[in-house]
């Protein structure tokens, strides 16, 4: 959930999204997304998924694109709409 993700990150989801270039932040987002579908998954399993993704030619940038699409599909980030991250 967004609440658990914020607790893990120590900041808001919006602030965390600005830090997706950090591997630990990206994997926490990935963990939150997978955990919503598979509550029994462990952080270690998510790290293994991340490592496998990278070893198979994925990149942090590609993972961030996937995370952004998943957040958009979930309705959490409505890019350009009322749930968009605040602009500075």
């Amino acid at each position: 959930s967004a609440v658990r993700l914020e607790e893990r990150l120590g900041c808001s989801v919006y602030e965390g999204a600005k830090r997706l270039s950090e591997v630990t932040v990206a994997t926490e987002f990935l963990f939150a997304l997978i955990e919503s579908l598979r509550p029994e998954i462990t952080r270690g399993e998510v790290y293994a998924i991340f490592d496998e993704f990278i070893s198979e030619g994925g990149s942090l940038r590609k993972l961030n694109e996937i995370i952004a699409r998943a957040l958009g599909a979930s309705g959490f980030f409505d890019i350009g709409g009322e749930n968009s991250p605040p602009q500075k």
Side-chain angles (χ1 to χ4, degrees):
S1 77
V3 172
R4 277 193 301 254
L5 179 58
E6 287 182 347
E7 288 172 352
R8 292 174 185 154
L9 295 174
C11 63
S12 73
V13 174
Y14 290 124
E15 289 300 314
K18 294 177 188 176
R19 296 175 39 214
L20 279 170
S21 63
E22 299 173 35
V23 172
T24 54
V25 173
T27 54
E28 284 301 331
F29 271 86
L30 183 61
F31 184 29
L33 290 165
I34 295 172
E35 186 180 41
S36 68
L37 301 171
R38 286 191 45 213
E40 73 282 358
I41 196 158
T42 66
R43 182 176 277 106
E45 290 172 314
V46 172
Y47 290 164
I49 291 168
F50 173 81
D51 289 342
E52 183 177 343
F53 178 78
I54 297 299
S55 70
E56 291 182 0
S59 66
L60 185 56
R61 180 179 178 193
K62 183 65 177 169
L63 178 62
N64 289 338
E65 291 171 6
I66 293 166
I67 291 169
R69 283 198 309 267
L71 289 170
S74 73
F76 190 82
F77 285 134
D78 178 17
I79 304 304
E82 67 182 56
N83 292 329
S84 295
Q87 299 298 313
K88 290 190 175 187

